[in-house]
Amino acid sequence: KNSIGVMVWGCFCNNRIGPLVLVEGTLNSDRYIELLEEHLLPFLNNLNIENCIFQDDNASCHASKKTKSWKESNLNENFPWPAQSPDLNPIENLWDFLEKRIRKHRPRPTNKSDFFALLKSEWDKIPECYLIKLVNSMPNRVKAVIDSKGNPTKY
């Protein structure tokens, strides 16, 4: 969420940016599963790759029994997520990258519709090389979390 009150969901895989979805209302387990079914699965199917490791975090709607069961049935592999370790998820870096681009925009959007349109425009411009850099950082991220025994890292 941000100051205008927009919540979005997005994903990427290797060098491909996925859909960016405006989330209306509360994101509970049912709505999260719906997002994954409507947006993640078609994106992954279009990539036509056999092995993909899905990664989200320990948000309650991501970690519920219902969501875990859905992920086990519908996704090849789910990345095990240590408690208190947002350091591992490269999407956080992508959100930060996007936020910096939005903050530079003048005039700033003043309503939800304009804000989402700007987000979507900037989302679609994220360079492939940046996505690859994030994916390639995963071994170092995992090692850093292990080395820090779960404490915060530079990521």
Side-chain angles (χ1 to χ4, degrees):
K1 278 204 174 197
N2 51 60
S3 60
I4 294 182
V6 174
M7 185 189 310
V8 295
W9 175 90
C11 66
F12 73 99
C13 183
N14 198 27
N15 66 335
R16 298 281 305 275
I17 199 75
L20 184 69
V21 180
L22 180 64
V23 177
E24 299 285 357
T26 303
L27 188 59
N28 58 24
S29 296
D30 290 332
R31 179 65 180 123
Y32 184 60
I33 290 168
E34 186 179 300
L35 277 170
L36 297 177
E37 287 176 341
E38 291 179 9
H39 302 285
L40 177 67
L41 292 181
F43 170 66
L44 294 176
N45 288 336
N46 285 337
L47 293 177
N48 199 26
I49 54 177
E50 290 188 29
N51 288 324
C52 178
I53 299 173
F54 179 71
Q55 183 178 11
D56 53 11
D57 59 26
N58 281 328
S60 59
C61 64
H62 301 171
S64 72
K65 286 182 182 182
K66 186 174 188 175
T67 302
K68 284 181 180 180
S69 176
W70 184 91
K71 289 189 284 190
E72 287 171 7
S73 298
N74 292 278
L75 300 172
N76 290 338
E77 189 173 346
N78 193 45
F79 191 82
W81 191 268
Q84 309 291 320
S85 292
D87 312 275
L88 288 174
N89 199 336
I91 196 85
E92 297 301 332
N93 299 87
L94 198 55
W95 296 133
D96 185 57
F97 182 86
L98 190 60
E99 180 182 358
K100 287 176 182 169
R101 286 188 169 202
I102 297 298
R103 287 187 185 278
K104 291 179 183 177
H105 191 270
R106 298 290 183 267
R108 288 215 173 129
T110 57
N111 61 56
K112 189 183 280 191
S113 177
D114 290 347
F115 188 80
F116 184 71
L118 179 58
L119 276 174
K120 179 73 173 106
S121 172
E122 291 297 331
W123 178 260
D124 291 337
K125 295 177 193 172
I126 293 171
E128 286 184 17
C129 62
Y130 184 68
L131 300 174
I132 292 169
K133 178 182 171 185
L134 292 175
V135 171
N136 289 341
S137 73
M138 284 306 298
N140 290 336
R141 288 169 188 270
V142 172
K143 183 178 182 328
V145 169
I146 291 168
D147 289 349
S148 74
K149 296 181 171 63
N151 291 309
T153 71
K154 70 176 185 172
Y155 295 100

